[in-house]
Amino acid sequence: MKPVLNIQHSILDQAWHWRGSGTDGRDPDFQPDDLVTQLLMARGVLRDDIERHRSPTIRNFMPDPSIFQDMDHAALRLAQAVEAGEQITVYGDYDVDGATSAALLIRLLRMLGLNAGYYIPDRLMEGYGPSGEALVRIGDGGSRLIVTVDCGAMAYDALSQAKAAGLEVIVVDHHKCAAELPEAFALVNPNRLDETDDAASHGHLAAVGVAFLLGAALIRTLRGRGYFAARPEPRIMDLLDLVALGTVADVAQLRGLNRAFVAQGLKVMGARRNIGLSALIQASRLTRAPICSDLGFALGPRINAGGRVGKSDLGVRLLITEDAVEAQDIAIELDRLNEERRAIESVVQEEAEAMLAGQHNRAVALLSGNGWHPGVIGIVAGRIKEKTGKPSIVIAVDEHGVGKGSGRSIAGVDLGAAIISAREAGLLVSGGGHAMAAGLTVAYDKIEALADWLDERLATDVANASGVKALLIDAIVAPRGLNPLFVDAMESAGPYGMGWPGPRVVTGPLRIIKCDIVGKDHVRAIVAGDDGQSFKAMAFRQGETILGQTMLHADRGRRYWFAGRAKTDDWGATPKAELHVDDIAFAD
């Protein structure tokens, strides 16, 4: 494959290749006549399926919920509870996916005339997933039917205790399952090993997406039982803002149904029907309708902050409230907690990176520290993954010698499956997850053995995933062509995220006119092309890297090709295009 602009060794020592098949990034049998078609095909969309993906709708991607194991069983039981006015409690995880999943079911049940309760475990005191003690306590409070969301797929002991206490538990999850399933009344999870191929093809759904499908199945079941003969049928589509938020924040792959969830959910969010989300948008200082990146970088972290360093139920409370004053108070508190989380994260990040400097030749970066705050280890693991290009696990060890770990993986390496295998091998107290993220509990004296075991198991996968070092390019544009209209055209093939990467463009040749450090470690440059066009180029968190140093000390007379993501800077009176830099290469 011929490299783009014949660049085989950039500043970051990588070749630049066209994204997609063929030598020019396009289907060799078909030449697309517009940019959006080119972008869609480069992301694997077949020529005959272009129109369905051009404007993804729920109708065009929604499967029949009945294809999933236990879905009809769970929907019927919930329908019976709605008809009888039973007391139900939704047991959610403390992250964004758990909060949005719980809020979706609670709001839907309210629309159906049933006020459901909720229970969100404390991250520090109770840890991840349902505990038997908590389930039994909920049962003693009157809820004989409990729905767990974003947790429960591996909760063997807890669900056995619940069953022994006469409770019925419906598990709604998306994490990896083992061959043996826990004793639940129903377990709805596209990642069950006994799922059909059609159901398993939706294994990339976040838990909130699975909860949405259960909600659709519940409405259909109630419709068939005549429940809506004397009452209006709820509009489950009005809850897509929650689905979009949970899907993006959980870094689920934005392809197929997930992409439709986010595309349509952003429209619902823009209407600000959810009082809590509207307050959170305001607290996040967003002055326009949220876009996909806002869900992951502005709204999601604030919802998460409650579970990480504050009260675990703040996110659910915000998303289900109908009181504008309460919503504003919770949103302000979550914004404050998010700032506190950032400070804690910075300390752990610094210590983890210092430890990383002494770690060599590991396929998996595994770092542990005494006293690290378990609420930020997932974020730090993600940062370490970005820095190393390897799967990364960060473990916080408490005063009792128990380590709570969180891991983030790279494309092509199934970390969740590896963690489940490590638990089965006796290395972990507990653990699970999905391909790109995992959580675990491990005794301090087994951390080193776990690191060795993961290295041996994943070394080949990591090597294969990292073997071809190339930057994938979608388009070349002249400096004058880098404008807001061009950015809008590229964005129309979104929303972009995990599994549906944002388009990367090359522009140039460019001279660096001015360059400096802004913020903590960001490199900002003003660059100009031979056509006289100048614009801002940003390289985030690159101040001390070879990329950042090259930009800062560049020969002002030398020309470079720049590769990165074209974005619109709309802070000023007139929107302008800018480039978020991923790499540069010499043009002469």
Side-chain angles (χ1 to χ4, degrees):
M1 180 182 294
K2 184 179 178 181
V4 175
L5 297 172
N6 204 32
I7 294 170
Q8 302 184 55
H9 298 283
S10 67
I11 291 297
L12 296 180
D13 193 27
Q14 54 190 346
W16 292 2
H17 289 166
W18 288 110
R19 192 188 309 275
S21 61
T23 58
D24 62 352
R26 302 173 174 86
D27 182 336
D29 297 323
F30 177 67
Q31 294 295 319
D33 58 4
D34 69 278
L35 179 62
V36 173
T37 298
Q38 176 183 330
L39 294 172
L40 294 175
M41 294 184 69
R43 282 150 186 77
V45 178
L46 298 177
R47 176 172 44 176
D48 295 339
D49 206 18
I50 289 292
E51 293 310 312
R52 187 167 71 115
H53 287 266
R54 190 182 294 273
S55 298
T57 64
I58 306 301
R59 178 185 296 275
N60 285 337
F61 286 93
M62 181 86 166
D64 181 345
S66 295
I67 67 172
F68 298 93
Q69 297 280 2
D70 280 359
M71 180 68 82
D72 290 341
H73 191 43
L76 177 59
R77 181 64 187 89
L78 285 174
Q80 292 168 342
V82 168
E83 291 171 334
E86 291 184 45
Q87 185 172 331
I88 298 176
T89 296
V90 180
Y91 191 116
D93 187 27
Y94 38 65
D95 70 358
V96 183
D97 194 15
T100 52
S101 300
L104 183 146
L105 290 181
I106 290 168
R107 294 183 75 92
L108 177 59
L109 289 170
R110 281 181 182 173
M111 294 176 187
L112 294 169
L114 188 68
N115 281 321
Y118 60 87
Y119 185 95
I120 309 295
D122 182 272
R123 180 190 291 265
L124 299 180
M125 302 301 294
E126 298 177 84
Y128 170 76
S131 69
E133 294 80 4
L135 293 176
V136 171
R137 195 161 58 246
I138 292 169
D140 291 341
S143 289
R144 310 306 291 176
L145 178 60
I146 301 171
V147 184
T148 72
V149 289
D150 197 29
C151 58
M154 302 288 287
Y156 299 98
D157 293 341
L159 295 184
S160 292
Q161 290 183 50
K163 184 176 181 181
L167 305 179
E168 294 174 312
V169 180
I170 295 173
V171 174
V172 179
D173 205 351
H174 69 130
H175 293 99
K176 293 283 185 181
C177 292
E180 179 186 355
L181 297 175
E183 296 183 287
F185 177 85
L187 196 156
V188 183
N189 184 338
N191 287 304
R192 284 176 55 153
L193 297 182
D194 59 348
E195 279 293 9
T196 64
D197 289 344
D198 284 348
S201 69
H202 291 87
H204 60 291
L205 293 177
V208 69
V210 183
F212 181 88
L213 294 177
L214 176 59
L218 170 58
I219 291 173
R220 183 175 64 183
T221 301
L222 287 169
R223 185 188 306 130
R225 294 168 68 89
Y227 187 74
F228 301 117
R231 66 173 65 226
E233 187 169 311
R235 286 179 44 83
I236 193 171
M237 294 295 193
D238 289 346
L239 302 176
L240 282 173
D241 49 2
L242 297 173
V243 184
L245 176 57
T247 297
V248 174
D250 211 52
V251 201
Q253 293 193 26
L254 295 192
R255 53 186 175 86
L257 180 58
N258 275 350
R259 188 162 163 261
F261 278 152
V262 176
Q264 301 306 318
L266 284 169
K267 296 177 183 178
V268 176
M269 192 177 295
R272 297 200 178 193
R273 295 189 183 101
N274 186 302
I275 291 173
L277 269 178
S278 180
L280 191 66
I281 291 168
Q282 184 174 354
S284 302
R285 291 167 284 283
L286 293 175
T287 57
R288 46 159 172 73
I291 59 177
C292 189
S293 59
D294 295 327
L295 308 187
F297 294 104
L299 305 183
R302 287 171 169 80
I303 294 285
N304 255 335
R308 294 187 187 281
V309 296
K311 296 180 180 178
S312 59
D313 67 347
L314 283 176
V316 171
R317 285 174 52 197
L318 176 75
L319 297 175
I320 66 173
T321 187
E322 299 296 341
D323 185 322
V325 174
E326 181 186 29
Q328 184 179 38
D329 290 344
I330 295 175
I332 291 172
E333 174 68 0
L334 286 173
D335 186 55
R336 184 191 68 78
L337 289 171
N338 192 48
E339 292 301 318
E340 183 180 330
R341 184 270 305 169
R342 287 180 177 175
I344 296 170
E345 175 196 329
S346 179
V347 173
V348 176
Q349 178 80 25
E350 185 176 337
E351 294 181 6
E353 290 193 1
M355 190 178 297
L356 181 68
Q359 191 178 97
H360 303 287
N361 300 320
R362 286 284 197 186
V364 178
L366 191 148
L367 307 164
S368 64
N370 293 317
W372 286 354
H373 197 298
V376 301
I377 55 176
I379 301 173
V380 175
R383 299 270 192 239
I384 298 296
K385 181 203 73 171
E386 293 173 4
K387 188 179 185 72
T388 62
K390 301 176 180 179
S392 301
I393 298 173
V394 176
I395 300 173
V397 181
D398 66 19
E399 66 274 17
H400 304 295
V402 177
K404 299 287 187 181
S406 185
R408 299 293 183 268
S409 195
I410 60 176
V413 180
D414 191 336
L415 187 59
I419 292 301
I420 290 174
S421 295
R423 179 185 63 80
E424 293 172 344
L427 290 166
L428 302 175
V429 177
S430 62
H434 47 80
M436 300 302 292
L440 59 91
T441 301
V442 60
Y444 176 75
D445 59 4
K446 289 190 176 181
I447 291 177
E448 195 63 30
L450 174 64
D452 292 339
W453 188 93
L454 287 170
D455 264 0
E456 182 176 350
R457 177 183 172 92
L458 295 177
T460 300
D461 291 345
V462 173
N464 290 338
S466 309
V468 180
K469 192 175 182 184
L471 195 70
L472 300 182
I473 305 299
D474 289 284
I476 299 176
V477 60
R480 189 168 295 280
L482 196 76
N483 55 53
L485 288 177
F486 175 75
V487 175
D488 289 345
M490 299 197 86
E491 287 299 321
S492 66
Y496 299 104
M498 177 62 66
W500 195 265
R504 184 180 288 114
V505 303
V506 171
T507 185
L510 298 164
R511 289 184 174 85
I512 298 176
I513 306 302
K514 178 182 178 183
C515 193
D516 58 2
I517 293 284
V518 295
K520 184 177 180 181
D521 197 32
H522 309 313
V523 179
R524 176 182 59 189
I526 302 299
V527 297
D530 294 343
D531 58 8
Q533 180 66 31
S534 63
F535 57 86
K536 181 171 67 176
M538 294 290 303
F540 294 99
R541 295 190 296 275
Q542 297 293 325
E544 298 180 2
T545 68
I546 185 172
L547 173 61
Q549 289 295 306
T550 300
M551 292 174 62
L552 287 165
H553 302 292
D555 180 345
R556 295 298 187 258
R558 189 156 197 175
R559 301 190 306 168
Y560 300 85
W561 293 108
F562 274 61
R565 318 292 177 121
K567 300 291 182 180
T568 298
D569 179 1
D570 52 9
W571 283 104
T574 302
K576 296 180 179 179
E578 63 182 30
L579 192 73
H580 294 180
V581 184
D582 293 321
D583 200 0
I584 61 176
F586 295 117
D588 49 29

